Amino acid sequence: MFVLPETSGDFWVFGYGSLMWNPGFAHEEAVKARLHGYHRTLCIHSRHYRGTPERSGLVMGLDRGGSCVGMAFRVARGDEADVVEYLHKRELISHVYKERHLTARVHDGRMVRAMAYVADQRHEQFAGHLSVEDAARIVSGAVGSAGRNEEYVMNTLSHLREIGIRDPWLEGVARLIRAD
């Protein structure tokens, strides 16, 4: 049984990586949003979805500092518990993410409370602050149950471009991946 946090109003989920282009849950609204206090980066060693215990890959995490533009998804009333259950199964496999309810500003200026998953810097899978070269080296050749790690990076970058977001660091990782 999953218990939802005490909230008033709509239930939102903030996506900054694969949740942007593959949320996997029904939603009534999907809008560009900015979350302050965290930035998107490849900082999580993936040992399941995009790597294995023997050859980890990297996936996105929200790490402290800066801000992050991503997508906010408004969930229909009555669907909240199902969405939370789905996200727990998807995102909390190893508990490298901490579930937080944070304030984000959506494109029209509304402030919404959104459930988001932030990186736990104390977890053994936290990769830390990597250079472009180190991130590309870890991503290159890693494969997990959800496919190739390079595909994850390229899909994320493609989606960011579609919604008008530039990420020079991630673009640098992608350039090195393509060069391999």
Side-chain angles (χ1 to χ4, degrees):
M1 169 90 172
F2 295 97
V3 178
L4 293 171
E6 291 292 324
T7 60
S8 58
D10 295 323
F11 183 74
W12 292 82
V13 175
F14 182 79
Y16 54 87
S18 64
L19 280 176
M20 289 188 309
W21 45 271
N22 182 23
F25 58 86
H27 51 278
E28 293 188 323
E29 186 176 2
V31 293
K32 200 156 111 176
R34 180 179 297 273
L35 181 67
H36 287 280
Y38 296 91
H39 66 282
R40 169 187 24 255
T41 187
L42 289 167
C43 66
I44 304 294
H45 284 289
S46 177
R47 297 178 180 152
H48 179 71
Y49 288 129
R50 299 296 175 166
T52 65
E54 299 77 31
R55 171 66 168 88
S56 69
L58 286 173
V59 292
M60 298 293 171
L62 282 177
D63 199 8
R64 291 184 215 145
S67 69
C68 177
V69 178
M71 295 296 291
F73 300 93
R74 185 170 53 83
V75 175
R77 290 190 193 279
D79 290 346
E80 300 96 331
D82 289 340
V83 170
V84 169
E85 182 177 6
Y86 165 76
L87 289 172
H88 282 184
K89 288 177 183 172
R90 175 177 169 164
E91 302 295 332
L92 299 180
I93 291 173
S94 67
H95 298 283
V96 67
Y97 296 110
K98 292 184 176 221
E99 187 176 284
R100 296 288 185 257
H101 296 269
L102 305 167
T103 302
R105 181 183 299 273
V106 298
H107 76 287
D108 63 7
R110 288 177 289 163
M111 301 298 283
V112 301
R113 283 297 271 181
M115 189 169 76
Y117 291 96
V118 301
D120 180 354
Q121 292 184 343
R122 293 175 291 163
H123 195 280
E124 67 179 352
Q125 285 178 250
F126 181 70
H129 309 283
L130 299 171
S131 68
V132 167
E133 294 80 12
D134 286 342
R137 180 183 48 75
I138 295 168
V139 166
S140 293
V143 180
S145 65
R148 296 176 55 235
N149 204 179
E150 296 96 337
E151 179 182 82
Y152 168 83
V153 170
M154 301 312 276
N155 281 341
T156 302
L157 189 57
S158 174
H159 188 80
L160 290 173
R161 288 179 179 152
E162 283 176 24
I163 61 175
I165 299 171
R166 294 276 329 269
D167 188 326
W169 185 85
L170 190 60
E171 290 168 9
V173 172
R175 271 192 302 279
L176 291 177
I177 290 169
R178 278 188 234 124
D180 280 351

